[in-house]
């Protein structure tokens, strides 16, 4: 099987498709019937968390490959990677605060010392722990505790 040829304009077709999917989903939620869109559920947050952690891994690789030839750009990508982890952590926390479908939850928290109750809890917790290992190797605790609005940049172009 050969790789499809892509033009420079379409060099990243899968990223473009993923972005289009997120935009479509956002528009679909905005068009939901009044009085308000359907409430978010745990499966929905699991999928959003998967998307954020995939972006986190992509930015991790981009930051590592960009930093040697372009240190300033690499630092900005590393900061973006950290902010994506913070966003994924917020989604992970929200996931555990939502009730389990058709049940009144008694304990839906993340407990690394024992196995979660199965999908999607098992997958989101495993994914989040794996991303957390990467973050702890490359980020200081103070960077993780910096508020999202604490980083500013200016456009030089």
């Amino acid at each position: 099987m050969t790789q499809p040829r892509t033009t420079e304009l379409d060099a990243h077709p899968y990223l473009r498709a993923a972005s289009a999917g997120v935009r479509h989903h956002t528009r679909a939620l905005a068009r939901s019937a009044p009085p308000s869109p359907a409430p978010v559920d745990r499966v929905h947050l699991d999928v959003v968390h998967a998307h954020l952690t995939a972006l986190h891994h992509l930015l991790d690789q981009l930051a590592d490959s960009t930093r040697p030839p372009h240190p300033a750009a690499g630092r900005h990508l590393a900061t973006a990677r950290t902010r994506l982890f913070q966003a994924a952590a917020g989604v992970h926390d929200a996931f555990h605060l939502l009730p389990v479908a058709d049940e009144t939850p008694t304990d839906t928290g993340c407990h690394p010392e024992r196995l979660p109750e199965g999908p999607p809890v098992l997958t989101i917790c495993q994914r989040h722990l794996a991303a957390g290992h990467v973050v702890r190797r490359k980020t200081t605790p103070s960077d993780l505790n910096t508020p999202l609005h604490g980083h500013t940049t200016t456009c030089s172009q």
Side-chain angles (χ1 to χ4, degrees):
M1 179 180 237
T2 60
Q3 283 291 101
R5 290 184 177 223
T6 57
T7 65
E8 188 174 320
L9 293 175
D10 197 24
H12 308 288
Y14 297 113
L15 285 175
R16 291 181 198 283
S19 297
V22 169
R23 284 191 306 271
H24 173 75
H25 187 70
T26 303
R27 284 192 300 269
L29 284 175
R31 286 191 302 256
S32 292
S36 65
V40 69
D41 61 5
R42 295 178 112 206
V43 175
H44 195 170
L45 289 184
D46 181 47
V47 173
V48 171
H49 187 270
H51 190 77
L52 287 171
T53 54
L55 284 172
H56 176 264
H57 291 302
L58 175 62
L59 276 178
D60 183 45
Q61 291 177 352
L62 291 174
D64 287 349
S65 64
T66 302
R67 189 168 277 177
H70 307 287
R75 282 191 301 275
H76 280 284
L77 290 172
T79 299
R81 172 194 63 211
T82 301
R83 301 306 176 240
L84 270 174
F85 180 76
Q86 289 174 325
V91 170
H92 178 254
D93 293 345
F95 174 91
H96 286 294
L97 293 174
L98 288 177
V100 177
D102 300 326
E103 295 178 20
T104 304
T106 55
D107 183 18
T108 60
C110 187
H111 299 281
E113 73 278 0
R114 63 179 180 177
L115 289 175
E117 66 262 23
V121 175
L122 180 63
T123 55
I124 193 170
C125 292
Q126 284 178 332
R127 187 183 321 114
H128 196 67
L129 288 172
H133 288 297
V134 171
V135 167
R136 281 190 292 283
R137 280 194 336 261
K138 298 180 177 189
T139 309
T140 66
S142 64
D143 287 340
L144 285 174
N145 292 326
T146 302
L148 290 176
H149 56 79
H151 180 76
T152 60
T153 185
T154 57
C155 184
S156 60
Q157 303 260 333

